[in-house]
Structures are given as C-alpha cells and as structure tokens.
Amino acid sequence: QGQLTESGGGSVQAGGSLRLSCAASGYTFNVYCMSWFRQAPGKEREDVASIDTNGGTIYADSVKGRFTISRDNAKTTLYLQMNSLKPEDTAMYYCARGPQWRLGADCLGVQNQHVWGQGTQVTVSS
C-alpha cells in the first residue's frame, strides 16, 4: 500500500522560505504521480503542485513562480521548495500518491490520490 511521511514545516515570516520533504516507502516510487496539497482551517483541501512520472510539473496559480516541486526517485523522496511565502500560504501541507503512469493533469485532484501523509504545518506571519 505504501507510506508517506512529511517533514520540514514550521513558522516563518512573510518573504521567507521553507523546504518540505516527503519520504515514501513500501511501493515503487518512480511509477506514480506525486503531489502536494494544503488545507487551511475551514477550507477545502486544494492542489498545490504535482509531478508526473516523466518529471512534468503543474502548479496552482497561487504558487506559480514561488514554489518548486521535485522528486528524487533514487531516494524515494518528494520535495516542495517554497519561497516568498505569504500569510495566505498558512495551512497543513500533505503529500499524496496519485495514479500510476499518468502525465500532466491526470495526476491532479483529491479524488485521484490513494495514499496520504499525515501532514506538516506551515505558518507564515506578516
């Protein structure tokens, strides 16, 4: 089934940076889409960024140019580099495993994710 474990969250001031990591285990990492989601209190969980099995990436408009998703298949780890953080980025961030052998937009959507991490909190103060 697989397991995902996030780390790297914390509290920063606006304009700061954080790097989230998601360690994957128990499955063949490189054949699955991987994504980052976030959920703020009182709001629905939303896509932040996705990376497919070819390394293609998709970002939410709200984070384009500030966040970078990447994967290290040898280390079975997913990353999210977050720069120029804003207070509205405050949320619990989750990594998720999507479908196998899919590209681009086929990786997106809460309903397409089958394994979730426990989440890591990111708090950005103004």
Side-chain angles (χ1 to χ4, degrees), residues 57-75:
T57 57
I58 296 178
Y59 296 92
D61 288 343
S62 58
V63 307
K64 280 181 183 176
R66 301 187 298 121
F67 290 11
T68 302
I69 187 172
S70 61
R71 64 193 299 165
D72 186 330
N73 290 332
K75 295 182 178 180

Side-chain angles (χ1 to χ4, degrees), residues 60-124:
D61 288 343
S62 58
V63 307
K64 280 181 183 176
R66 301 187 298 121
F67 290 11
T68 302
I69 187 172
S70 61
R71 64 193 299 165
D72 186 330
N73 290 332
K75 295 182 178 180
T76 65
T77 301
L78 178 73
Y79 302 99
L80 185 68
Q81 177 66 44
M82 304 186 295
N83 299 328
S84 303
L85 282 161
K86 304 175 180 180
E88 51 263 45
D89 295 318
T90 295
M92 186 72 78
Y93 283 71
Y94 300 90
C95 66
R97 190 189 84 183
Q100 293 186 54
W101 298 119
R102 293 291 188 272
L103 301 177
D106 288 346
C107 296
L108 300 176
V110 172
Q111 71 281 0
N112 287 328
Q113 314 306 312
H114 306 296
V115 180
W116 293 86
Q118 82 288 349
T120 185
Q121 178 67 37
V122 172
T123 302
V124 185

